[in-house]
Amino acid sequence: MLRQTALLALALVPATFAQVAEDFEGGWDETAWPTYAPDCNQGGKVALDSSTAHSGSNSIRVDGAGGFCGHIFFGTKSIPSGDLYVRAWVKASKALTDSHVTFITMPDPAQGTNKHLRIGGQSKILMYNRESDDATLPDLSPQGIAASAALPTGEWQCFEYHVGTDGSIETWLNGEAVEGLTSVPGDGNPNAGQWQRSSIKPTPEAVYFGWESYGGDTNTFWYDDIAIDSARVGCE
């Protein structure tokens, strides 16, 4: 009878709990959330920070140096094998500039060995970049730039995205869909021409949060309340 009661209680647990959820209130488990710096790392660093948090007392601070080798990330390989939904509360100290930078990177074997699906900024707006052919989502035309959004600074922002097995990309900032950062088969995005010329369907094998600069840009990012699941978690 006790076993049946326990099973019933488990069945009634809401399905909104993420497959991976971390608020860093227990500290930074560097085994579960290791650093990642492919090729080289000269100057970037990751640390647990108790001076600011989206919730509780702790967050992870990433000090990103300028130049490619100033990159540093932390993250996890514990992600769904199918549809991937990621939610992270993010705070940036500086605005995105015209230069190309990355603050989330995902090793993506669909593009080839040591290639990544990257989320970051260029032309002062949020964008995706496919490392294998340097394609961007959205197109960096005046119309494409207008269809994306800037990343506000100095305050916590809820950043969510979906990478689908059918090649879909969807993105939300503070719960609002970002039109320019959407590419869904069969649903036209006039500003996704460069992205959609390829037949590549991303298959991320890990998610890493941090900073990578392809010029001289430096920045400090904080990350908190990260959730990774096979369905959208949302900002709440």
Side-chain angles (χ1 to χ4, degrees), residues 157-197:
Q157 313 296 322
C158 178
F159 185 79
E160 303 174 83
Y161 67 92
H162 167 219
V163 179
T165 56
D166 62 353
S168 293
I169 298 288
E170 297 178 282
T171 315
W172 301 266
L173 182 62
N174 296 320
E176 298 293 328
V178 183
E179 178 186 353
L181 303 181
T182 301
S183 177
V184 178
D187 186 4
N189 177 347
N191 301 302
Q194 186 184 70
W195 191 264
Q196 293 177 347
R197 277 198 292 270

Side-chain angles (χ1 to χ4, degrees), residues 117 128-130 135-137 169 183 192-198:
L117 174 62
Y128 288 76
N129 174 263
R130 193 166 51 219
T136 65
L137 176 70
I169 298 288
S183 177
Q194 186 184 70
W195 191 264
Q196 293 177 347
R197 277 198 292 270
S198 172

Side-chain angles (χ1 to χ4, degrees), residues 43-224:
K45 59 182 181 180
V46 180
L48 184 71
D49 192 341
S50 299
S51 68
T52 184
H54 169 254
S55 69
S57 302
N58 294 335
S59 64
I60 296 292
R61 171 176 172 155
V62 177
D63 291 293
F68 173 73
C69 281
H71 65 190
I72 189 68
F73 296 86
F74 73 98
T76 179
K77 294 182 178 179
S78 298
I79 68 172
S81 59
D83 282 271
L84 170 67
Y85 286 81
V86 177
R87 190 279 314 282
W89 285 88
V90 178
K91 185 167 75 168
S93 65
K94 298 179 184 178
L96 301 173
T97 72
D98 288 325
S99 298
H100 180 196
V101 298
T102 293
F103 61 85
I104 297 176
T105 193
M106 293 164 279
D108 180 15
Q111 297 183 53
T113 303
N114 296 326
K115 300 299 181 183
H116 297 75
L117 174 62
R118 306 185 286 204
I119 302 174
Q122 194 169 349
S123 300
K124 300 181 176 70
I125 51 95
L126 293 164
M127 72 152 195
Y128 288 76
N129 174 263
R130 193 166 51 219
E131 185 175 4
S132 59
D133 59 1
D134 209 31
T136 65
L137 176 70
D139 299 331
L140 296 180
S141 63
Q143 296 80 13
I145 291 169
S148 184
L151 181 66
T153 62
E155 296 181 348
W156 289 97
Q157 313 296 322
C158 178
F159 185 79
E160 303 174 83
Y161 67 92
H162 167 219
V163 179
T165 56
D166 62 353
S168 293
I169 298 288
E170 297 178 282
T171 315
W172 301 266
L173 182 62
N174 296 320
E176 298 293 328
V178 183
E179 178 186 353
L181 303 181
T182 301
S183 177
V184 178
D187 186 4
N189 177 347
N191 301 302
Q194 186 184 70
W195 191 264
Q196 293 177 347
R197 277 198 292 270
S198 172
S199 60
I200 292 173
K201 296 180 180 179
T203 57
E205 58 183 14
V207 178
Y208 296 105
F209 307 88
W211 178 257
E212 185 168 55
S213 171
Y214 311 99
D217 283 20
T218 64
N219 214 327
T220 298
F221 268 65
W222 289 265
Y223 298 89
D224 198 4

